Amino acid sequence: MPPPVPPRRGAGKVWAIIGAVAGVVVLGGIAAAVAFSGGGGPTGPKYRVTVPQTLADGRYTLAKDISAQASSSVPHDGANEHGIQSVGGQYANGTKSLVMVGIYGTIDDPRTTMEHSISGMKSTPDTHVAVPEKEFTPSGGGAPLTCGVDVREEMGQKVTLEFCVWADSSTSGNVAETDADDLAKDPQSVDLQAFADTVGKIRSEARKPVG
């Protein structure tokens, strides 16, 4: 089922903008991470990334599985990543649309993967950094996430996009959210700690042991 459409004129265009922005930015970041990073040799993955039907304790519901798109867009091997599989989903929570794209396989240097993922998001045309990324530790525990806010122009509309990225020796993930009710909200108003708390839950729900 598609995400619920906001009760407003031009709602179809709004959701097209959200899909284009989140999909292009997040997929571009993941693809850049695999294509351009550098490192050593494979050791075998311990975890994988899944696409659950709901995320963050049921707050977000899967609207579209984009794993096929992710698989065709992201290289399977890079200098730093080996035997990569890619998955992703677009989720809805009222007027909010969240995209989660993950890779799993063997990652030699997680920090390199994360840095290239973020730089790939920044280099997407018509995207600029509104709030520089920094580390946040989710209140529910787990390794720190790197989060920030980008603004992208799509179809003549500016869209504010908060994101968080993680990477470890087996998995990497990008999570980004937009809100159809407030597409061009002030980037400085985004509570990145709260979003990191949400993405921490998403990571724990989507990241599963191999086998």
Side-chain angles (χ1 to χ4, degrees):
M1 294 291 291
V5 177
R8 57 164 64 187
R9 295 178 61 184
K13 180 181 177 182
V14 169
W15 283 112
I17 291 171
I18 289 174
V21 168
V24 167
V25 171
V26 174
L27 279 172
I30 285 285
V34 176
F36 300 118
S37 51
T43 58
K46 296 180 181 179
Y47 293 89
R48 60 192 177 95
V49 181
T50 64
V51 183
Q53 288 297 309
T54 63
L55 288 175
D57 296 330
R59 286 164 50 197
Y60 298 86
T61 302
L62 182 66
K64 183 179 181 181
D65 190 312
I66 59 172
S67 297
Q69 182 184 357
S71 182
S72 65
S73 301
V74 179
H76 295 288
D77 287 283
N80 187 55
E81 296 84 14
H82 318 280
I84 292 299
Q85 302 294 320
S86 308
V87 299
Q90 182 175 353
Y91 292 80
N93 176 12
T95 61
K96 294 181 179 180
S97 179
L98 179 142
V99 172
M100 184 274 293
V101 176
I103 61 173
Y104 62 95
T106 299
I107 299 174
D108 299 327
D109 183 358
R111 180 164 292 277
T112 298
T113 295
M114 188 161 54
E115 288 174 352
H116 281 278
S117 179
I118 293 171
S119 66
M121 294 174 71
K122 292 178 183 178
S123 64
T124 304
D126 301 318
T127 299
H128 74 271
V129 177
V131 178
E133 68 279 354
K134 66 177 184 178
E135 283 192 352
F136 292 85
T137 299
S139 61
L145 298 156
T146 299
C147 307
V149 183
D150 289 342
V151 174
R152 177 178 167 88
E153 186 165 332
E154 187 76 28
M155 304 180 195
Q157 169 70 55
K158 287 187 176 181
V159 181
T160 299
L161 185 83
E162 57 254 50
F163 68 87
C164 286
V165 179
W166 84 81
D168 54 49
S169 62
S170 297
T171 71
S172 180
N174 282 19
V175 181
E177 184 180 72
T178 54
D179 189 342
D181 263 356
D182 196 7
L183 282 177
K185 64 183 174 183
D186 179 3
Q188 302 299 325
S189 71
V190 176
D191 186 341
L192 282 176
Q193 179 62 62
F195 190 58
D197 293 344
T198 296
V199 176
K201 292 181 181 180
I202 289 171
R203 176 175 58 185
S204 67
E205 293 168 350
R207 181 176 172 270
K208 300 297 182 183
V210 170

